[in-house]
């Protein structure tokens, strides 16, 4: 579930407590956690609603000026059911603290070695983790399509793989490209 940055900031401030989406079926469920640029959001509820009953207060709670504007936004996709999705900030993204942790002991290194080896074994295109980490270390802030081309790969699968490294706290996304996190630098610098 994608949310614009201004809406995310408003969730953090407590001004936005819900979103409305038109879906063929619910795409999230109560208790789901969504990692975003502002932290982790929790879905507090999901319920089908009749868009004609939405009020200006409903719209403002979703960061929209009024009900008429909200209905116009929802009508851009005419098929499906309108769902009210309750949202709240659940806390910071745990990957932020993980990527800052550069005090790797032998157990941490062994766990990372094992996880990267599993990713390499599971890959249809062969081992990629060490090459990708090295490429990012040597080319920070370089566009993903350019990095992918240097590895002879398509951009989207390359980006999916970099997200796997990000989950381990080894890389971080920038407005353009990536860089190794302190944890990634410590891992590579052993």
């Amino acid at each position: 579930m994608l949310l614009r940055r201004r809406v995310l900031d408003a969730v953090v401030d407590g001004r936005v407590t819900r979103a409305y989406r038109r879906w063929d079926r619910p795409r999230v469920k109560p208790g789901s956690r969504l990692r975003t640029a502002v932290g982790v959001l929790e879905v507090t509820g999901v319920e089908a609603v009749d868009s004609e009953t939405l009020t200006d207060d409903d719209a403002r709670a979703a960061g929209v000026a009024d009900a008429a504007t909200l209905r116009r936004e929802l009508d851009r996709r005419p098929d499906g059911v309108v769902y009210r999705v309750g949202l709240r900030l659940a806390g910071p993204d745990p990957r932020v603290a993980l990527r800052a942790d550069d005090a790797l002991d032998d157990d941490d290194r062994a766990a990372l070695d094992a996880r990267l080896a599993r990713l390499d074994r599971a890959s249809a295109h062969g081992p990629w983790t060490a090459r990708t980490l090295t490429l990012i270390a040597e080319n920070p802030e370089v566009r993903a399509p350019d990095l992918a081309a240097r590895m002879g790969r398509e951009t989207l699968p390359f980006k999916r793989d970099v997200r796997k490294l990000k989950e381990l706290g080894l890389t971080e996304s920038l407005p353009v490209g990536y860089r190794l996190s302190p944890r990634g630098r410590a891992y590579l610098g052993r």
Side-chain angles (χ1 to χ4, degrees):
M1 186 171 143
L2 297 175
L3 297 166
R4 293 184 183 107
R5 180 59 192 244
R6 69 172 180 73
V7 173
L8 292 172
D9 290 338
V11 171
V12 170
D13 294 344
R15 291 178 287 124
V16 167
T17 57
R18 62 183 74 146
Y20 291 90
R21 294 293 186 269
R22 187 180 296 275
W23 292 322
D24 58 347
R25 61 181 168 74
R27 303 292 180 180
V28 294
K29 60 185 179 182
S32 296
R33 297 213 166 209
L34 311 169
R35 282 187 302 220
T36 72
V38 298
V40 177
L41 302 185
E42 180 180 5
V43 174
T44 59
V46 179
E47 65 180 306
V49 297
D50 178 352
S51 64
E52 292 305 313
T53 66
L54 296 175
T55 66
D56 288 345
D57 286 340
D58 291 325
R60 283 189 292 276
V64 179
D66 55 50
T69 303
L70 177 58
R71 280 192 282 279
R72 274 194 306 277
E73 288 180 8
L74 291 168
D75 289 343
R76 288 183 191 151
R77 181 177 178 191
D79 296 328
V81 174
V82 174
Y83 290 93
R84 175 185 293 129
V85 181
L87 299 169
R88 74 171 188 85
L89 182 65
D93 185 337
R95 296 175 301 179
V96 173
L98 180 62
R99 67 183 181 224
D101 181 9
D102 61 356
L104 300 177
D105 62 23
D106 290 341
D107 290 340
D108 294 328
R109 290 180 188 285
L112 284 169
D113 287 341
R115 182 59 200 258
L116 294 174
R118 274 196 308 275
L119 290 172
D120 284 339
R121 282 193 307 274
S123 173
H125 54 82
W128 61 271
T129 59
R131 286 181 54 215
T132 303
L133 285 169
T134 302
L135 182 67
I136 291 170
E138 293 172 352
N139 300 279
E141 298 182 60
V142 172
R143 295 175 52 240
D146 298 331
L147 294 173
R150 290 179 192 183
M151 291 187 70
R153 299 196 51 209
E154 296 291 325
T155 301
L156 291 179
F158 174 81
K159 289 173 84 169
R160 276 192 297 271
D161 282 348
V162 174
R163 279 194 295 274
K164 293 171 188 173
L165 299 174
K166 186 176 181 180
E167 290 294 318
L168 298 173
L170 299 174
T171 63
E172 49 191 307
S173 298
L174 302 172
V176 175
Y178 313 99
R179 71 175 165 219
L180 290 186
S181 65
R183 182 178 187 83
R185 288 191 302 273
Y187 179 75
L188 269 192
R190 59 181 160 158

